[in-house]
PDB file of all heavy atoms in Angstrom:
ATOM      1  N   MET A  57       0.828  -1.218  -0.022  1.00 76.00           N
ATOM      2  CA  MET A  57      -0.021   0.024   0.013  1.00 76.00           C
ATOM      3  C   MET A  57       0.878   1.218  -0.032  1.00 76.00           C
ATOM      4  O   MET A  57       1.949   1.215   0.477  1.00 76.00           O
ATOM      5  CB  MET A  57      -0.884   0.019   1.196  1.00 76.00           C
ATOM      6  CG  MET A  57      -0.316  -0.127   2.524  1.00 76.00           C
ATOM      7  SD  MET A  57      -1.493  -0.306   3.937  1.00 76.00           S
ATOM      8  CE  MET A  57      -2.261  -1.892   3.494  1.00 76.00           C
ATOM      9  N   ALA A  58       0.366   2.347  -0.562  1.00 78.00           N
ATOM     10  CA  ALA A  58       0.993   3.591  -0.660  1.00 78.00           C
ATOM     11  C   ALA A  58       0.692   4.532   0.423  1.00 78.00           C
ATOM     12  O   ALA A  58       1.384   4.958   1.279  1.00 78.00           O
ATOM     13  CB  ALA A  58       0.873   4.225  -2.022  1.00 78.00           C
ATOM     14  N   CYS A  59      -0.649   4.848   0.506  1.00 85.00           N
ATOM     15  CA  CYS A  59      -1.082   5.882   1.529  1.00 85.00           C
ATOM     16  C   CYS A  59      -1.511   5.332   2.819  1.00 85.00           C
ATOM     17  O   CYS A  59      -1.360   5.951   3.909  1.00 85.00           O
ATOM     18  CB  CYS A  59      -2.152   6.772   0.877  1.00 85.00           C
ATOM     19  SG  CYS A  59      -3.783   5.926   0.800  1.00 85.00           S
ATOM     20  N   ALA A  60      -2.170   4.173   2.815  1.00 76.00           N
ATOM     21  CA  ALA A  60      -2.617   3.430   3.991  1.00 76.00           C
ATOM     22  C   ALA A  60      -3.837   4.188   4.650  1.00 76.00           C
ATOM     23  O   ALA A  60      -4.279   3.752   5.772  1.00 76.00           O
ATOM     24  CB  ALA A  60      -1.525   3.252   5.050  1.00 76.00           C
ATOM     25  N   VAL A  61      -4.402   5.156   4.024  1.00 78.00           N
ATOM     26  CA  VAL A  61      -5.519   5.845   4.623  1.00 78.00           C
ATOM     27  C   VAL A  61      -6.827   5.841   3.657  1.00 78.00           C
ATOM     28  O   VAL A  61      -7.695   6.628   3.859  1.00 78.00           O
ATOM     29  CB  VAL A  61      -5.166   7.332   5.009  1.00 78.00           C
ATOM     30  CG1 VAL A  61      -4.180   7.277   6.144  1.00 78.00           C
ATOM     31  CG2 VAL A  61      -4.605   8.082   3.812  1.00 78.00           C
ATOM     32  N   GLY A  62      -6.750   5.030   2.657  1.00 78.00           N
ATOM     33  CA  GLY A  62      -7.876   4.902   1.784  1.00 78.00           C
ATOM     34  C   GLY A  62      -7.889   5.784   0.571  1.00 78.00           C
ATOM     35  O   GLY A  62      -8.861   5.687  -0.221  1.00 78.00           O
ATOM     36  N   GLY A  63      -6.973   6.637   0.426  1.00 81.00           N
ATOM     37  CA  GLY A  63      -7.012   7.583  -0.724  1.00 81.00           C
ATOM     38  C   GLY A  63      -6.523   7.004  -2.039  1.00 81.00           C
ATOM     39  O   GLY A  63      -7.070   7.416  -3.098  1.00 81.00           O
ATOM     40  N   CYS A  64      -5.475   6.208  -2.039  1.00 83.00           N
ATOM     41  CA  CYS A  64      -4.887   5.783  -3.303  1.00 83.00           C
ATOM     42  C   CYS A  64      -5.591   4.549  -3.914  1.00 83.00           C
ATOM     43  O   CYS A  64      -5.413   4.228  -5.130  1.00 83.00           O
ATOM     44  CB  CYS A  64      -3.418   5.519  -3.119  1.00 83.00           C
ATOM     45  SG  CYS A  64      -3.010   4.049  -2.128  1.00 83.00           S
ATOM     46  N   ALA A  65      -6.211   3.732  -3.137  1.00 76.00           N
ATOM     47  CA  ALA A  65      -6.863   2.489  -3.543  1.00 76.00           C
ATOM     48  C   ALA A  65      -5.861   1.538  -4.192  1.00 76.00           C
ATOM     49  O   ALA A  65      -6.292   0.761  -4.961  1.00 76.00           O
ATOM     50  CB  ALA A  65      -8.030   2.800  -4.586  1.00 76.00           C
ATOM     51  N   GLY A  66      -4.678   1.594  -3.693  1.00 80.00           N
ATOM     52  CA  GLY A  66      -3.663   0.614  -4.201  1.00 80.00           C
ATOM     53  C   GLY A  66      -3.663  -0.709  -3.578  1.00 80.00           C
ATOM     54  O   GLY A  66      -2.961  -1.639  -3.995  1.00 80.00           O
ATOM     55  N   CYS A  67      -4.480  -0.904  -2.519  1.00 87.00           N
ATOM     56  CA  CYS A  67      -4.373  -2.136  -1.787  1.00 87.00           C
ATOM     57  C   CYS A  67      -5.731  -2.828  -1.884  1.00 87.00           C
ATOM     58  O   CYS A  67      -6.190  -3.522  -0.945  1.00 87.00           O
ATOM     59  CB  CYS A  67      -4.045  -1.893  -0.319  1.00 87.00           C
ATOM     60  SG  CYS A  67      -5.195  -0.766   0.576  1.00 87.00           S
ATOM     61  N   THR A  68      -6.539  -2.555  -2.864  1.00 85.00           N
ATOM     62  CA  THR A  68      -7.818  -3.108  -2.965  1.00 85.00           C
ATOM     63  C   THR A  68      -7.853  -4.634  -3.245  1.00 85.00           C
ATOM     64  O   THR A  68      -6.913  -5.169  -3.935  1.00 85.00           O
ATOM     65  CB  THR A  68      -8.631  -2.444  -4.154  1.00 85.00           C
ATOM     66  OG1 THR A  68      -8.008  -2.507  -5.297  1.00 85.00           O
ATOM     67  CG2 THR A  68      -8.964  -1.038  -3.762  1.00 85.00           C
ATOM     68  N   VAL A  69      -8.788  -5.364  -2.704  1.00 86.00           N
ATOM     69  CA  VAL A  69      -8.960  -6.780  -2.950  1.00 86.00           C
ATOM     70  C   VAL A  69     -10.381  -7.049  -3.278  1.00 86.00           C
ATOM     71  O   VAL A  69     -11.280  -6.372  -2.809  1.00 86.00           O
ATOM     72  CB  VAL A  69      -8.489  -7.630  -1.791  1.00 86.00           C
ATOM     73  CG1 VAL A  69      -7.070  -7.506  -1.457  1.00 86.00           C
ATOM     74  CG2 VAL A  69      -9.292  -7.277  -0.451  1.00 86.00           C
ATOM     75  N   ARG A  70     -10.686  -8.142  -4.013  1.00 88.00           N
ATOM     76  CA  ARG A  70     -11.991  -8.554  -4.352  1.00 88.00           C
ATOM     77  C   ARG A  70     -12.630  -9.336  -3.202  1.00 88.00           C
ATOM     78  O   ARG A  70     -12.000 -10.238  -2.726  1.00 88.00           O
ATOM     79  CB  ARG A  70     -11.983  -9.347  -5.579  1.00 88.00           C
ATOM     80  CG  ARG A  70     -13.455  -9.883  -5.975  1.00 88.00           C
ATOM     81  CD  ARG A  70     -13.280 -10.758  -7.250  1.00 88.00           C
ATOM     82  NE  ARG A  70     -14.487 -11.535  -7.466  1.00 88.00           N
ATOM     83  CZ  ARG A  70     -15.263 -11.494  -8.505  1.00 88.00           C
ATOM     84  NH1 ARG A  70     -14.950 -10.643  -9.547  1.00 88.00           N
ATOM     85  NH2 ARG A  70     -16.287 -12.227  -8.633  1.00 88.00           N
ATOM     86  N   VAL A  71     -13.813  -8.936  -2.793  1.00 87.00           N
ATOM     87  CA  VAL A  71     -14.536  -9.647  -1.768  1.00 87.00           C
ATOM     88  C   VAL A  71     -15.963  -9.919  -2.199  1.00 87.00           C
ATOM     89  O   VAL A  71     -16.447  -9.186  -3.108  1.00 87.00           O
ATOM     90  CB  VAL A  71     -14.517  -8.921  -0.387  1.00 87.00           C
ATOM     91  CG1 VAL A  71     -13.069  -8.738   0.070  1.00 87.00           C
ATOM     92  CG2 VAL A  71     -15.266  -7.616  -0.521  1.00 87.00           C
ATOM     93  N   GLU A  72     -16.522 -10.976  -1.646  1.00 88.00           N
ATOM     94  CA  GLU A  72     -17.939 -11.244  -2.012  1.00 88.00           C
ATOM     95  C   GLU A  72     -18.850 -10.617  -0.941  1.00 88.00           C
ATOM     96  O   GLU A  72     -18.889 -11.064   0.245  1.00 88.00           O
ATOM     97  CB  GLU A  72     -18.100 -12.813  -2.024  1.00 88.00           C
ATOM     98  CG  GLU A  72     -17.343 -13.461  -3.079  1.00 88.00           C
ATOM     99  CD  GLU A  72     -17.836 -13.063  -4.512  1.00 88.00           C
ATOM    100  OE1 GLU A  72     -19.108 -12.804  -4.599  1.00 88.00           O
ATOM    101  OE2 GLU A  72     -17.006 -13.046  -5.371  1.00 88.00           O
ATOM    102  N   GLU A  73     -19.619  -9.674  -1.416  1.00 86.00           N
ATOM    103  CA  GLU A  73     -20.544  -8.996  -0.396  1.00 86.00           C
ATOM    104  C   GLU A  73     -21.995  -9.676  -0.738  1.00 86.00           C
ATOM    105  O   GLU A  73     -22.202 -10.330  -1.696  1.00 86.00           O
ATOM    106  CB  GLU A  73     -20.729  -7.481  -0.732  1.00 86.00           C
ATOM    107  CG  GLU A  73     -19.348  -6.731  -0.574  1.00 86.00           C
ATOM    108  CD  GLU A  73     -19.028  -6.549   0.939  1.00 86.00           C
ATOM    109  OE1 GLU A  73     -19.815  -7.010   1.801  1.00 86.00           O
ATOM    110  OE2 GLU A  73     -17.984  -5.884   1.176  1.00 86.00           O
ATOM    111  N   PRO A  74     -22.958  -9.421   0.226  1.00 85.00           N
ATOM    112  CA  PRO A  74     -24.270  -9.976   0.007  1.00 85.00           C
ATOM    113  C   PRO A  74     -24.865  -9.499  -1.275  1.00 85.00           C
ATOM    114  O   PRO A  74     -25.725 -10.207  -1.925  1.00 85.00           O
ATOM    115  CB  PRO A  74     -25.033  -9.486   1.151  1.00 85.00           C
ATOM    116  CG  PRO A  74     -24.024  -9.215   2.314  1.00 85.00           C
ATOM    117  CD  PRO A  74     -22.775  -8.782   1.544  1.00 85.00           C
ATOM    118  N   THR A  75     -24.525  -8.329  -1.800  1.00 87.00           N
ATOM    119  CA  THR A  75     -24.994  -7.817  -3.063  1.00 87.00           C
ATOM    120  C   THR A  75     -24.224  -8.236  -4.323  1.00 87.00           C
ATOM    121  O   THR A  75     -24.511  -7.895  -5.352  1.00 87.00           O
ATOM    122  CB  THR A  75     -25.076  -6.301  -3.014  1.00 87.00           C
ATOM    123  OG1 THR A  75     -23.801  -5.719  -2.715  1.00 87.00           O
ATOM    124  CG2 THR A  75     -26.051  -5.807  -1.913  1.00 87.00           C
ATOM    125  N   GLY A  76     -23.119  -8.940  -4.102  1.00 88.00           N
ATOM    126  CA  GLY A  76     -22.238  -9.394  -5.187  1.00 88.00           C
ATOM    127  C   GLY A  76     -20.737  -9.002  -4.915  1.00 88.00           C
ATOM    128  O   GLY A  76     -20.424  -8.444  -3.921  1.00 88.00           O
ATOM    129  N   PRO A  77     -19.895  -9.288  -5.977  1.00 89.00           N
ATOM    130  CA  PRO A  77     -18.509  -8.912  -5.773  1.00 89.00           C
ATOM    131  C   PRO A  77     -18.279  -7.489  -5.688  1.00 89.00           C
ATOM    132  O   PRO A  77     -19.021  -6.610  -6.238  1.00 89.00           O
ATOM    133  CB  PRO A  77     -17.907  -9.523  -7.110  1.00 89.00           C
ATOM    134  CG  PRO A  77     -18.879 -10.491  -7.646  1.00 89.00           C
ATOM    135  CD  PRO A  77     -20.250  -9.999  -7.227  1.00 89.00           C
ATOM    136  N   ALA A  78     -17.260  -7.142  -4.872  1.00 85.00           N
ATOM    137  CA  ALA A  78     -16.896  -5.751  -4.685  1.00 85.00           C
ATOM    138  C   ALA A  78     -15.432  -5.593  -4.423  1.00 85.00           C
ATOM    139  O   ALA A  78     -14.723  -6.591  -3.972  1.00 85.00           O
ATOM    140  CB  ALA A  78     -17.715  -5.069  -3.449  1.00 85.00           C
ATOM    141  N   MET A  79     -14.850  -4.440  -4.621  1.00 88.00           N
ATOM    142  CA  MET A  79     -13.529  -4.182  -4.314  1.00 88.00           C
ATOM    143  C   MET A  79     -13.434  -3.398  -3.004  1.00 88.00           C
ATOM    144  O   MET A  79     -14.071  -2.409  -2.839  1.00 88.00           O
ATOM    145  CB  MET A  79     -12.816  -3.395  -5.394  1.00 88.00           C
ATOM    146  CG  MET A  79     -12.911  -4.055  -6.755  1.00 88.00           C
ATOM    147  SD  MET A  79     -12.113  -5.737  -6.756  1.00 88.00           S
ATOM    148  CE  MET A  79     -10.353  -5.276  -6.539  1.00 88.00           C
ATOM    149  N   ARG A  80     -12.609  -3.884  -2.055  1.00 88.00           N
ATOM    150  CA  ARG A  80     -12.404  -3.243  -0.794  1.00 88.00           C
ATOM    151  C   ARG A  80     -10.929  -2.895  -0.562  1.00 88.00           C
ATOM    152  O   ARG A  80     -10.107  -3.607  -0.923  1.00 88.00           O
ATOM    153  CB  ARG A  80     -12.969  -4.125   0.290  1.00 88.00           C
ATOM    154  CG  ARG A  80     -14.532  -4.293   0.173  1.00 88.00           C
ATOM    155  CD  ARG A  80     -15.246  -3.004   0.620  1.00 88.00           C
ATOM    156  NE  ARG A  80     -16.729  -3.153   0.520  1.00 88.00           N
ATOM    157  CZ  ARG A  80     -17.441  -2.621  -0.379  1.00 88.00           C
ATOM    158  NH1 ARG A  80     -16.786  -1.916  -1.370  1.00 88.00           N
ATOM    159  NH2 ARG A  80     -18.763  -2.745  -0.425  1.00 88.00           N
ATOM    160  N   ARG A  81     -10.699  -1.861   0.148  1.00 87.00           N
ATOM    161  CA  ARG A  81      -9.411  -1.417   0.509  1.00 87.00           C
ATOM    162  C   ARG A  81      -8.882  -2.118   1.814  1.00 87.00           C
ATOM    163  O   ARG A  81      -9.620  -2.070   2.813  1.00 87.00           O
ATOM    164  CB  ARG A  81      -9.328   0.104   0.742  1.00 87.00           C
ATOM    165  CG  ARG A  81      -9.737   0.927  -0.466  1.00 87.00           C
ATOM    166  CD  ARG A  81     -10.111   2.293  -0.147  1.00 87.00           C
ATOM    167  NE  ARG A  81     -11.313   2.340   0.781  1.00 87.00           N
ATOM    168  CZ  ARG A  81     -11.822   3.467   1.256  1.00 87.00           C
ATOM    169  NH1 ARG A  81     -11.287   4.628   1.027  1.00 87.00           N
ATOM    170  NH2 ARG A  81     -12.897   3.346   2.033  1.00 87.00           N
ATOM    171  N   VAL A  82      -7.796  -2.762   1.794  1.00 87.00           N
ATOM    172  CA  VAL A  82      -7.258  -3.496   2.937  1.00 87.00           C
ATOM    173  C   VAL A  82      -6.928  -2.553   4.032  1.00 87.00           C
ATOM    174  O   VAL A  82      -7.126  -2.942   5.182  1.00 87.00           O
ATOM    175  CB  VAL A  82      -5.990  -4.364   2.488  1.00 87.00           C
ATOM    176  CG1 VAL A  82      -5.209  -4.898   3.717  1.00 87.00           C
ATOM    177  CG2 VAL A  82      -6.445  -5.489   1.635  1.00 87.00           C
ATOM    178  N   CYS A  83      -6.445  -1.346   3.718  1.00 84.00           N
ATOM    179  CA  CYS A  83      -6.018  -0.476   4.731  1.00 84.00           C
ATOM    180  C   CYS A  83      -7.113   0.051   5.699  1.00 84.00           C
ATOM    181  O   CYS A  83      -6.941   0.058   6.909  1.00 84.00           O
ATOM    182  CB  CYS A  83      -5.250   0.714   4.194  1.00 84.00           C
ATOM    183  SG  CYS A  83      -6.263   1.771   3.081  1.00 84.00           S
ATOM    184  N   VAL A  84      -8.275   0.431   5.157  1.00 85.00           N
ATOM    185  CA  VAL A  84      -9.261   1.043   6.019  1.00 85.00           C
ATOM    186  C   VAL A  84     -10.552   0.271   6.057  1.00 85.00           C
ATOM    187  O   VAL A  84     -11.333   0.231   7.022  1.00 85.00           O
ATOM    188  CB  VAL A  84      -9.640   2.471   5.548  1.00 85.00           C
ATOM    189  CG1 VAL A  84      -8.490   3.333   5.886  1.00 85.00           C
ATOM    190  CG2 VAL A  84      -9.949   2.569   4.178  1.00 85.00           C
ATOM    191  N   ASP A  85     -10.799  -0.557   4.937  1.00 86.00           N
ATOM    192  CA  ASP A  85     -12.013  -1.490   5.079  1.00 86.00           C
ATOM    193  C   ASP A  85     -11.619  -2.698   5.795  1.00 86.00           C
ATOM    194  O   ASP A  85     -12.506  -3.412   6.333  1.00 86.00           O
ATOM    195  CB  ASP A  85     -12.526  -1.788   3.641  1.00 86.00           C
ATOM    196  CG  ASP A  85     -12.989  -0.553   2.845  1.00 86.00           C
ATOM    197  OD1 ASP A  85     -13.554   0.320   3.501  1.00 86.00           O
ATOM    198  OD2 ASP A  85     -12.698  -0.517   1.692  1.00 86.00           O
ATOM    199  N   GLY A  86     -10.291  -3.065   5.798  1.00 82.00           N
ATOM    200  CA  GLY A  86      -9.795  -4.214   6.450  1.00 82.00           C
ATOM    201  C   GLY A  86      -8.740  -3.590   7.531  1.00 82.00           C
ATOM    202  O   GLY A  86      -8.980  -2.491   7.926  1.00 82.00           O
ATOM    203  N   PRO A  87      -7.714  -4.349   7.808  1.00 91.00           N
ATOM    204  CA  PRO A  87      -7.290  -5.578   7.067  1.00 91.00           C
ATOM    205  C   PRO A  87      -8.079  -6.761   7.517  1.00 91.00           C
ATOM    206  O   PRO A  87      -7.933  -7.882   6.903  1.00 91.00           O
ATOM    207  CB  PRO A  87      -5.813  -5.664   7.484  1.00 91.00           C
ATOM    208  CG  PRO A  87      -5.771  -5.140   8.941  1.00 91.00           C
ATOM    209  CD  PRO A  87      -6.708  -3.939   8.808  1.00 91.00           C
ATOM    210  N   VAL A  88      -8.926  -6.718   8.517  1.00 93.00           N
ATOM    211  CA  VAL A  88      -9.731  -7.832   8.953  1.00 93.00           C
ATOM    212  C   VAL A  88     -11.020  -7.995   8.174  1.00 93.00           C
ATOM    213  O   VAL A  88     -11.843  -7.018   8.127  1.00 93.00           O
ATOM    214  CB  VAL A  88      -9.989  -7.792  10.521  1.00 93.00           C
ATOM    215  CG1 VAL A  88     -10.828  -8.957  10.837  1.00 93.00           C
ATOM    216  CG2 VAL A  88      -8.697  -7.745  11.242  1.00 93.00           C
ATOM    217  N   PHE A  89     -11.260  -9.193   7.593  1.00 92.00           N
ATOM    218  CA  PHE A  89     -12.518  -9.461   6.872  1.00 92.00           C
ATOM    219  C   PHE A  89     -13.015 -10.794   7.320  1.00 92.00           C
ATOM    220  O   PHE A  89     -12.219 -11.737   7.693  1.00 92.00           O
ATOM    221  CB  PHE A  89     -12.186  -9.505   5.338  1.00 92.00           C
ATOM    222  CG  PHE A  89     -11.796  -8.253   4.703  1.00 92.00           C
ATOM    223  CD1 PHE A  89     -10.434  -7.843   4.663  1.00 92.00           C
ATOM    224  CD2 PHE A  89     -12.722  -7.297   4.245  1.00 92.00           C
ATOM    225  CE1 PHE A  89     -10.063  -6.687   4.013  1.00 92.00           C
ATOM    226  CE2 PHE A  89     -12.355  -6.072   3.702  1.00 92.00           C
ATOM    227  CZ  PHE A  89     -10.991  -5.834   3.591  1.00 92.00           C
ATOM    228  N   PRO A  90     -14.327 -11.020   7.223  1.00 93.00           N
ATOM    229  CA  PRO A  90     -14.863 -12.385   7.278  1.00 93.00           C
ATOM    230  C   PRO A  90     -14.262 -13.283   6.235  1.00 93.00           C
ATOM    231  O   PRO A  90     -14.222 -12.904   5.062  1.00 93.00           O
ATOM    232  CB  PRO A  90     -16.425 -12.233   7.093  1.00 93.00           C
ATOM    233  CG  PRO A  90     -16.599 -10.763   7.390  1.00 93.00           C
ATOM    234  CD  PRO A  90     -15.418 -10.107   6.902  1.00 93.00           C
TER     235      PRO A  90
END
């Protein structure tokens, strides 16, 4: 990751949400995920 505060979106990963696939930022949406 570059910024670690959600601005650059360089650490995004694909996750499966109830509404379908989505891209989430590891730095601020994670790093912990189900």
Side-chain angles (χ1 to χ4, degrees):
M57 57 185 66
C59 74
V61 293
C64 70
C67 61
T68 54
V69 294
R70 177 184 166 120
V71 300
E72 295 295 329
E73 300 284 3
T75 55
M79 301 302 293
R80 293 288 178 254
R81 299 161 297 177
V82 168
C83 61
V84 292
D85 298 322
V88 176
F89 294 92

